[in-house]
Amino acid sequence: PAVLARPGVRRAAPSVVRVVGTACGLSVEGSGWVARPETVVTAAHVVAGEHDTAVEVAGSRRPLPAVVTAFDSRNDVAVLRVAGLGMRPLKLVKASAGAAVAILGYPEDGPFAATPGRIGGTVAVFSRDAYGRPVTRTITSLRGLVRHGNSGGPAVDSHGWVQTTVFAASVGSKAGYGVPADPVRKALARARAAVSTGGCTG
């Protein structure tokens, strides 16, 4: 729990946003983090099927429109371009097993929250993609309270560096899973013009 008080974590907190939109006629919300100027990383299932994605910044009453510029359903990661987003980018690093982290985001449609966690292993597993289809992918396990709405948010270490991007909670336990650095870096590298977000995840 002491990690929550580290200066790096406190510096990182303002660079975490709420991601909102509508898909299949339902409001969808999740979290995201600033990876580059005017660029946000989130989970693909948070923006799937949306045409009105926006980000909400703490302290601002007006959501900022977002354009999806990379959408990787296999690894459940998406990149958004957000014009006018003047927030400090966070550093993305390779996950370090055993590292104490703060899980940052907007869980359960509530206010910003930071909860303590610890990074587990990064392994290739037989899992499911953003649409629930079976795939083989690489994930980082995460111990700590992961709740609905944390998807797309970062787990940052004491330096405020992003160790993993949360995409799911583990059913029946205080744990979850994150996207490791490599798929996120690849998504950022190919983020250019607007891309399709596919169908909604239901």
Side-chain angles (χ1 to χ4, degrees):
V3 72
L4 300 181
R6 295 299 296 267
V9 172
R10 295 186 176 188
R11 286 194 300 270
S15 296
V16 179
V17 301
R18 190 196 308 269
V19 180
V20 297
T22 307
C24 292
L26 300 174
S27 296
V28 181
E29 66 109 31
S31 303
W33 57 277
V34 181
R36 292 177 179 171
E38 299 188 333
T39 302
V40 168
V41 168
T42 188
H45 74 263
V46 170
V47 299
E50 293 182 356
H51 300 283
D52 60 349
T53 304
V55 301
E56 297 178 353
V57 178
S60 175
R61 297 182 179 180
R62 185 174 64 88
L64 296 173
V67 176
V68 180
T69 55
F71 186 82
D72 179 357
S73 61
R74 181 186 188 91
N75 292 294
D76 205 351
V77 61
V79 178
L80 316 178
R81 183 174 68 243
V82 188
L85 184 67
M87 300 167 70
R88 184 177 69 89
L90 301 181
K91 182 178 180 179
L92 177 63
V93 298
K94 183 178 180 180
S96 177
V101 292
I103 302 166
L104 307 180
Y106 291 85
E108 299 175 348
D109 199 24
F112 176 80
T115 58
R118 193 169 296 277
I119 295 293
T122 297
V123 294
V125 298
F126 185 70
S127 180
R128 296 187 179 276
D129 68 5
Y131 290 97
R133 298 172 298 207
V135 295
T136 299
R137 57 185 291 200
T138 302
I139 64 172
T140 297
S141 60
L142 177 65
R143 191 170 68 208
L145 180 60
V146 177
R147 293 173 284 174
H148 179 75
N150 277 128
S151 290
V156 303
D157 60 23
S158 60
H159 301 288
W161 299 343
V162 178
Q163 293 261 340
T164 192
T165 301
V166 177
F167 73 85
S170 178
V171 178
S173 67
K174 291 184 178 181
Y177 306 100
V179 183
D182 282 351
V184 176
R185 288 194 180 106
K186 290 177 180 177
L188 286 166
R190 64 175 177 268
R192 295 290 186 274
V195 298
S196 170
T197 59
C200 57
T201 58

